[in-house]
Amino acid sequence: MSQDAYRLIGPRGNEMELPVHRGTTGPDVIDVARLYREKGVFTYDPGFVSTASCKSDITFIDGEEGVLMYRGYPVEQLAAKSSFIEVCHLLLHGSLPTQAELDDFENTIRRHTMLNEGMLNFFKGFRYDAHPMAMLSAVVGSMSAYYHDEMDSSNPDHRDIFAHRILAKLPTIAAAAYKLNIGQPFIYPRNDLNYSENFLHMMFAVPAEPYEIDPVASEALDLLFILHADHEQNCSTSTVRMAASSQANPYSAIAGGISALWGPAHGGANEAVLRMLNEIGDASQIGKYVDKAKDKNDPFRLMGFGHRVYKNFDPRATIIREMCHKVLDQLDREDTPLFDLARELEQVALHDDYFKERNLYPNVDFYSGIIYKALGIPTSMFTVMFAMGRSVGWVAHWREMITDPQIKIARPRQLYIGEPKRDYVDIAKR
Ligand code: SDX
């Protein structure tokens, strides 16, 4: 038996040696690919708690140690020293760019920010109060109708133009959704502005007067986009991989990722956190809501708390919490009561045995909404902000999978617990 194998001892002496694969760091994996063919059994892991779906060299997370690295670089260092557009280059190409490479990449993104004018017509069909995530998913999905001419995924140039269009056009689509919601005219992108500045311009400028971009706001957004850029095989990224594994149009795969992210158990949590804090109202109600979160008969959960992987702290939450102080101070915003309530709620939960026993800590969504709100971004747009940051992660994982010579369509099996075989009964005899 090789030193790195596991021996599976089944019923009636049925044995099998399962090879182990070791990565750069993190848990080893047991390769069960031969299990069904040789032993006629499946593994069973609802929610994929203990399942590695692929090999990847993009992002690494250590949930016990609170580690998050993009291409080996700790997120804390990238948050302190990099920019979102540089992180996009890193995630897509695997290395930090030279100045020339960065300038060329950024210039390319800036020059793809406009939408085909026909796409703007979609917004005329939405109700004024349509949720921005519904509009984002629909319009991104429609990109598969506009750009089918350059969709040969085996062509590296087509893969690049797909990446550039998704990164560049998501902010334009996102801001257009917001303008529809508030009944203002769409604002076209400007190529003289960087990624975050351009988004703020398209969100808050109006034709009637000049709009001055607050550097505190653009800096805060850029940092939030870095922190949301990728997170290995999370629900929405796995959705993109699953959809694209059938060789589906990548724009439609990204639209699927947007839909998966919208769920309140995933990226929709940042919007749910603000609604929860507003419902709690003040510190005197915290105990009541913490008890509700602990009550198995109550579906209420503490939004922004807990994580499938982080069983210690979420390093992104730590950085965002520190950012809250700075942004609220510099913007001289009166939202501090909301931030103070969030801090008090965090302290109560972290000292409660129920949360400590289950290793429930604030995650990336717990504080991010407080900053978005301080920047004037409405709650309904919070998950759209998450999608804009995560778009580069989705594209990077799509590219990694679609260029894998061993790519296979994702097709899990099941444990069947339905009816045994039975014969059809004529309706007259039922
Ligand atoms: C994101 O995967 C990623 O990487 C996601 C993400 C990314 O960057 O892509 O990090 C972004 O999605 C962050 C998570 C945002 N979601 C929320 O904040 C929603 C609230 N949290 C949860 O619903 C929950 O914690 C999950 C979905 C995040 C994780 O769920 P798991 O891993 O399936 O854990 P679980 O549901 O099995 O919970 C374990 C226990 C349970 O209690 P017991 O059955 O053991 O008694 O902890 C309890 C749960 O009831 N629990 C909570 C809780 N989260 C878990 N109880 C109260 N409040 C909570 N928030």
Side-chain angles (χ1 to χ4, degrees), residues 113-115 117 120 172 185-191 193 198 201-202 205:
T113 49
M114 282 178 66
L115 305 182
E117 281 294 297
L120 292 175
T172 311
F186 300 142
I187 298 295
Y188 282 87
R190 278 177 36 189
N191 293 347
L193 299 176
N198 210 1
H201 163 73
M202 294 187 287

Side-chain angles (χ1 to χ4, degrees), residues 60 131 138 187 295 329 353 367 383:
F60 176 73
H131 195 289
I187 298 295
D295 179 356
D329 287 349
D353 289 341
Y367 285 104
T383 310

Side-chain angles (χ1 to χ4, degrees), residues 231 234 264-267 269 293 296 301-308 316 354-355 358 360 363-365 386 390:
H231 217 237
N234 61 86
H266 189 13
K296 289 302 168 201
R301 284 196 161 179
L302 219 48
M303 302 315 283
F305 257 78
H307 199 276
R308 170 61 57 78
R316 303 166 296 177
Y354 172 94
F355 291 85
R358 293 165 178 80
L360 303 177
N363 58 49
V364 67
D365 293 308
F386 195 141
R390 187 53 54 84

Side-chain angles (χ1 to χ4, degrees), residues 85-86 88-89 92-93 100-110 164 167:
I85 210 71
E86 181 176 73
C88 287
H89 185 284
L92 289 173
H93 299 290
E101 289 167 335
L102 181 59
D103 294 346
D104 179 52
F105 180 71
E106 177 160 25
N107 185 48
T108 300
I109 298 301
R110 288 185 188 209
H164 299 152
L167 292 184

Side-chain angles (χ1 to χ4, degrees), residues 115 119 122-123 126 132-147 151 162 165-174 177 240 249-259 384 387-388 391 394-395:
L115 305 182
M119 290 175 78
F122 281 113
F123 291 93
F126 295 123
M133 280 298 281
M135 292 191 264
L136 187 70
S137 177
V139 178
V140 168
S142 79
M143 291 172 78
S144 56
Y146 281 88
Y147 301 117
M151 275 324 312
F162 162 69
R165 283 171 172 154
I166 287 290
L167 292 184
K169 295 181 193 311
L170 244 69
T172 311
I173 297 168
V240 171
N249 180 295
Y251 294 103
S252 52
I254 298 294
I258 294 169
S259 301
V384 171
M388 284 165 56
S391 59
W394 292 331
V395 173

Side-chain angles (χ1 to χ4, degrees), residues 25-27 60-69 232 309-313 315:
T25 182
F60 176 73
I61 303 171
D62 182 328
E64 306 310 320
E65 301 300 319
V67 170
L68 169 57
M69 301 193 300
E232 63 139 84
V309 176
Y310 291 123
K311 298 307 176 190
N312 198 324
F313 62 95

